[in-house]
Amino acid sequence: MKKIWFLLVLLVVLLAGSAWYLMAPHKESAADKVAAIAWKGTPPNRVVTDPVAVFQRAFWRSPTPADKIVRAERHEWSDAEGVTKWQWFIEVKASPELLKHLRDDNAFGLIPSKSAKVSSEKPAWFTFKPSDVSVMSSPQANLQFIFKNQSDTLFATDFGLGFRRGAPEQPKVNLAPAAPMPKRLPPTAPPTPER
C-alpha cells in the first residue's frame, strides 16, 4: 500500500512540474522584444539580434574573446530600394583593449557630453542611471558611447537614415527641329553715313 501511495505522489509531482513548465513564461523571442517597444511610426521591417553582427556594425571591428556582448539589437526600416532608416543598441562588458580603442584613443572622434540622448524607441534592457555613467557623443551625428563608471560596462547606440535617393531622371523630350540660328553678322554691310 505504501508503494502505491509513493507512486501516486511521484506521479502528481511530475504532472505538477510538467504543467508549471508548460505554463511558465519562457525566454522572449526577438519579435516579442520588438513588439514591446512603443513605436512612434511603423515597426522595423528587420530586426538583427546576432550580437557579433551588431558589434561589427557598431564598432567596425570584430569582438575579441575578452569582449562579452551582453545584449544587442539592430532595427532596420526599408523599402524596395533599400534601407531607409536604422538604429542599434548594444551592451558590452568591454575588454581593456576595446575601452582603450573607444575611449582613450577616441577612434570615432567623439567629445565628452553631459548626458546621453537616447531614443524613446529603445529596448527595455537599454537602461542606466545617468549619475553612474560618462558619455561621449559625436558632434555631427547620433553615435553615443555610454561608459559605466567604475566598471567595464559599455552601452552604445546610434541611428540614422539609409542612402539618400537621387533626383528622379528627367524624361527625354523630343523637340521639333529648331529654326536655323541667325548668323553672327548680317548678310549686308552697314549703311555708311552721307556727308
Side-chain angles (χ1 to χ4, degrees):
M1 183 79 169
K2 285 185 179 182
K3 203 174 203 181
I4 293 175
W5 280 108
F6 176 75
L7 289 175
L8 283 175
V9 168
L10 183 61
L11 183 62
V12 168
V13 169
L14 286 173
L15 285 174
S18 298
W20 174 81
Y21 179 79
L22 292 173
M23 296 182 75
H26 296 287
K27 196 173 192 178
E28 293 180 40
S29 69
D32 293 337
K33 290 178 186 177
V34 171
I37 298 173
W39 298 105
K40 292 177 185 172
T42 59
N45 304 75
R46 181 172 180 238
V47 177
V48 177
T49 56
D50 175 17
V52 173
V54 175
F55 186 99
Q56 290 171 335
R57 297 289 292 269
F59 304 122
W60 297 19
R61 62 191 287 171
S62 295
T64 66
D67 296 315
K68 305 296 181 214
I69 305 167
V70 180
R71 295 178 204 102
E73 273 185 44
R74 179 178 168 87
H75 307 141
E76 294 179 358
W77 290 260
S78 59
D79 61 13
E81 295 182 25
V83 175
T84 59
K85 179 179 158 185
W86 54 268
Q87 67 181 8
W88 56 258
F89 303 90
I90 191 166
E91 179 184 354
V92 180
K93 296 283 186 189
S95 65
E97 294 82 20
L98 181 61
L99 289 174
K100 179 183 180 303
H101 176 71
L102 297 178
R103 183 175 44 206
D104 303 334
D105 297 345
N106 199 4
F108 289 91
L110 305 181
I111 59 173
S113 297
K114 293 182 182 180
S115 64
K117 295 174 181 79
V118 180
S119 169
S120 62
E121 297 178 321
K122 65 179 179 61
W125 54 264
F126 197 81
T127 58
F128 46 85
K129 281 178 130 180
S131 60
D132 292 347
V133 296
S134 56
V135 180
M136 293 179 73
S137 62
S138 171
Q140 290 92 14
N142 304 308
L143 177 63
Q144 296 182 86
F145 295 155
I146 303 148
F147 300 96
K148 199 164 186 184
N149 300 332
Q150 311 301 322
S151 172
D152 59 355
T153 301
L154 163 67
F155 292 92
T157 183
D158 196 5
F159 64 92
L161 302 174
F163 291 110
R164 296 203 176 193
R165 310 290 185 255
E169 190 174 320
Q170 297 295 322
K172 294 184 180 185
V173 178
N174 290 333
L175 299 174
M181 295 292 290
K183 295 181 181 176
R184 183 176 168 147
L185 297 174
T188 59
T192 53
E194 289 183 32
R195 291 188 194 201

